[in-house]
Amino acid sequence: MSFLIDSSIMITSQILFFGFGWLFFMRQLFKDYEVRQYVVQVIFSVTFGFSCTMFELIIFEILGVLNSSSRYFHWKMNLCVILLILVFMVPFYIGYFVVSNIRLLHKQRLFFSCLLWLTFMYFFWKLGDPFPILSPKHGILSIEQLISRVGVIGVTLMALLSGFGAVNCPYTYMSYFLRNVTDTDILALERRLLQTMDMIISKKKRMAMAQRTMFQKGEVQNKPSGFWGMIKSVTTSAPGSENLTLIQQEVDALEELSRQLFLETADLYATKERIEYSKTFKGKYFNFLGYFFSIYCVWKIFMATINIVFDRVGKTDPVTRGIEITVNYLGIQFDVKFWSQHISFILVGIIIVTSIRGLLITLTKFFYAISSSKSSNVIVLLLAQIMGMYFVSSVLLIRMSMPLEYRTIITEVLGELQFNFYHRWFDVIFLVSALSSILFLYLAHKQAPEKHMAP
């Protein structure tokens, strides 16, 4: 009876998560597109629902909600379904929609879809060869074979996003990195833009008048044809007439310059708005957050370097370790186990909420940046693939943030994976991503003033 009640709770929560994923798909991703493939919508929503259910089970594990055997069953079922979606269903449909957009392969799209899926499976399986991710005793058909490979891809994505976010967040929030923009700078750039537009209009008028003159003289009708005629028209011009090809090249160059000036003007306006916003109370609050995250970024880079150099992986979760250090330093009586459980629950909850929110925001921006009416289905499926792998790898890494007694069932469900490898791999990719982001933002910040000061 308790199993049925527990299952009804899990099914209800999965329906709610599925509905949220469906609404997000309709209201955010596909709100500007009329053609919708319901299979894509269902796959995205199911992936989102089962991914969120895994996080829900982590919280249930800490709070002791549901029976232990029921939690284990739903852990196993969720993991099997999400792996089935990520390894078999989503890659196949990605190949199917890619082939469907190619007219020559339209009649045999099922065959070529299967061919693309087999190609994906080959490279997916070969991915596990260079990494020490499995215990030797696992068979080729074990669930650990799939989790381990999905974990490598997901942890890599998490580390890349975390490294860039740790650097970009303080860079975005802190007013220190805002360059000084005045009304004079904006007016000067707008003046250059208007001058460029006047030059474009003037040259286009010259072209129109020259073409009219040539038409009246009959040069258009007598214009030589063929390759040599085109070469002659480029290299020579009639006496007293304009060289239209050279003028067109000048117009193209000026139009490209006008586009660059327009983007720079818009950038200056955006920077000026950020400067005004930084003077408000909310802006000062985010500026403070920027300093906090900059300290966190430096600390995280330092700790990742230490972990890589000394091949170190923590055995105790950060909350318990932090409380133990504080209690020992202050010399007070404190129930470390009791409070570490409650603080760990709050910490894990914050990690889960911010991970889901941050990933959805990133996916929405990425979708709008590269999608079109033809590629939208493929991109949504790719985002579902990334989302599922991201959440599976989050479970692998969140495990270390939980007290030891709560890790047991997660370890049993995930199998005997080399968990230490994933933490070391995260540190390596995080460090590379963070340092690359620092270099990129430094160069971008350094070149921006020079670009605006250029005549």
Side-chain angles (χ1 to χ4, degrees):
M1 187 67 184
S2 62
F3 177 78
L4 292 176
I5 296 173
D6 294 346
S7 297
S8 63
I9 293 173
M10 293 303 303
I11 292 171
T12 302
S13 62
Q14 285 173 344
I15 292 173
L16 291 175
F17 290 138
F18 177 87
F20 183 82
W22 188 279
L23 287 174
F24 177 76
F25 184 94
M26 296 284 289
R27 301 287 179 86
Q28 290 293 327
L29 293 184
F30 259 57
K31 64 179 180 180
D32 296 327
Y33 298 96
E34 292 297 327
V35 180
R36 298 186 179 93
Q37 292 286 343
Y38 279 100
V39 66
V40 175
Q41 195 168 350
V42 169
I43 290 174
F44 182 88
S45 303
V46 169
T47 306
F48 180 80
F50 278 94
S51 299
C52 291
T53 304
M54 287 194 297
F55 284 143
E56 180 187 36
L57 286 169
I58 290 177
I59 295 175
F60 283 178
E61 197 68 33
I62 296 175
L63 294 178
V65 178
L66 308 185
N67 188 276
S68 178
S69 59
S70 298
R71 290 199 304 269
Y72 181 82
F73 170 80
H74 287 288
W75 263 115
K76 257 321 189 191
M77 187 191 70
N78 271 269
L79 205 57
C80 290
V81 172
I82 197 73
L83 290 174
L84 178 69
I85 293 171
L86 295 178
V87 179
F88 298 97
M89 190 177 293
V90 175
F92 173 80
Y93 273 104
I94 289 174
Y96 180 81
F97 284 111
V98 168
V99 173
S100 297
N101 290 330
I102 303 174
R103 290 185 178 179
L104 295 175
L105 307 178
H106 201 267
K107 292 183 179 179
Q108 297 178 324
R109 55 187 173 184
L110 188 60
F111 169 75
F112 284 102
S113 300
C114 294
L115 192 63
L116 286 175
W117 178 78
L118 290 173
T119 305
F120 163 79
M121 285 301 296
Y122 172 78
F123 287 105
F124 177 77
W125 209 261
K126 296 295 289 183
L127 178 69
D129 292 347
F131 298 106
I133 51 181
L134 277 177
S135 175
K137 66 180 182 180
H138 289 119
I140 193 171
L141 298 177
S142 63
I143 195 173
E144 288 83 2
Q145 295 282 358
L146 300 179
I147 298 173
S148 57
R149 287 162 172 80
V150 169
V152 170
I153 301 173
V155 168
T156 304
L157 291 171
M158 281 189 68
L160 288 172
L161 292 173
S162 300
F164 176 75
V167 175
N168 186 60
C169 186
Y171 180 80
T172 304
Y173 286 168
M174 291 173 64
S175 57
Y176 173 80
F177 294 106
L178 292 174
R179 62 180 181 273
N180 188 25
V181 176
T182 62
D183 292 333
T184 306
D185 298 329
I186 297 176
L187 289 173
L189 203 58
E190 286 180 337
R191 194 178 299 113
R192 287 181 59 196
L193 178 59
L194 290 174
Q195 290 173 352
T196 305
M197 297 301 293
D198 289 339
M199 291 172 66
I200 293 172
I201 293 171
S202 175
K203 289 184 180 295
K204 284 189 175 182
K205 283 182 178 179
R206 284 173 56 191
M207 288 179 63
M209 293 175 64
Q211 287 173 345
R212 181 183 177 185
T213 304
M214 291 171 64
F215 182 79
Q216 290 175 346
K217 291 180 179 180
E219 294 179 11
V220 174
Q221 287 82 354
N222 300 327
K223 189 176 181 179
S225 59
F227 176 76
W228 293 110
M230 183 172 59
I231 295 295
K232 187 177 180 181
S233 67
V234 172
T235 56
T236 62
S237 59
S241 65
E242 300 279 3
N243 191 326
L244 297 181
T245 305
L246 291 177
I247 297 177
Q248 183 61 49
Q249 291 176 354
E250 293 175 2
V251 169
D252 293 339
L254 288 171
E255 286 179 341
E256 179 62 29
L257 176 61
S258 68
R259 281 191 288 269
Q260 294 296 327
L261 290 173
F262 176 79
L263 292 175
E264 291 177 19
T265 305
D267 185 44
L268 286 184
Y269 271 111
T271 304
K272 186 182 177 184
E273 288 179 2
R274 286 183 59 195
I275 292 173
E276 296 297 325
Y277 176 77
S278 66
K279 296 176 182 178
T280 63
F281 176 78
K282 193 174 181 180
K284 292 178 180 179
Y285 166 73
F286 279 108
N287 185 46
F288 171 76
L289 281 183
Y291 282 102
F292 172 78
F293 280 117
S294 63
I295 296 171
Y296 169 78
C297 177
V298 172
W299 175 80
K300 189 70 177 174
I301 291 173
F302 174 75
M303 292 305 298
T305 306
I306 294 296
N307 293 339
I308 294 168
V309 171
F310 295 100
D311 194 18
R312 192 186 70 169
V313 177
K315 302 296 182 183
T316 309
D317 67 286
V319 173
T320 304
R321 182 62 179 161
I323 294 175
E324 287 177 350
I325 293 173
T326 304
V327 169
N328 291 333
Y329 179 77
L330 298 176
I332 58 177
Q333 295 294 325
F334 198 79
D335 191 345
V336 175
K337 184 178 180 180
F338 174 80
W339 285 105
S340 65
Q341 292 176 358
H342 289 73
I343 298 175
S344 293
F345 166 70
I346 296 172
L347 177 64
V348 170
I350 292 172
I351 293 172
I352 290 170
V353 171
T354 53
S355 295
I356 294 174
R357 179 182 176 275
L359 186 65
L360 290 179
I361 292 172
T362 305
L363 292 182
T364 304
K365 290 180 180 178
F366 184 75
F367 179 79
Y368 282 132
I370 65 173
S371 65
S372 65
S373 58
K374 288 186 176 180
S375 65
S376 56
N377 289 321
V378 176
I379 293 171
V380 168
L381 290 172
L382 283 172
L383 296 183
Q385 183 84 350
I386 292 170
M387 178 175 62
M389 291 184 171
Y390 181 95
F391 286 150
V392 170
S393 58
S394 296
V395 174
L396 286 174
L397 297 179
I398 286 176
R399 172 185 167 275
M400 189 59 72
S401 299
M402 300 169 65
L404 193 60
E405 58 268 25
Y406 301 132
R407 302 180 197 173
T408 307
I409 193 169
I410 298 177
T411 306
E412 290 177 4
V413 171
L414 296 176
E416 296 182 14
L417 302 179
Q418 301 296 326
F419 292 103
N420 291 348
F421 161 77
Y422 292 103
H423 288 276
R424 285 196 297 271
W425 182 248
F426 180 89
D427 287 334
V428 171
I429 302 300
F430 174 87
L431 188 62
V432 172
S433 176
L435 294 178
S436 301
S437 300
I438 290 173
L439 179 62
F440 172 77
L441 292 175
Y442 171 76
L443 293 175
H445 186 77
K446 185 179 179 182
Q447 290 177 1
E450 297 175 358
K451 182 171 63 175
H452 294 303
M453 287 189 296

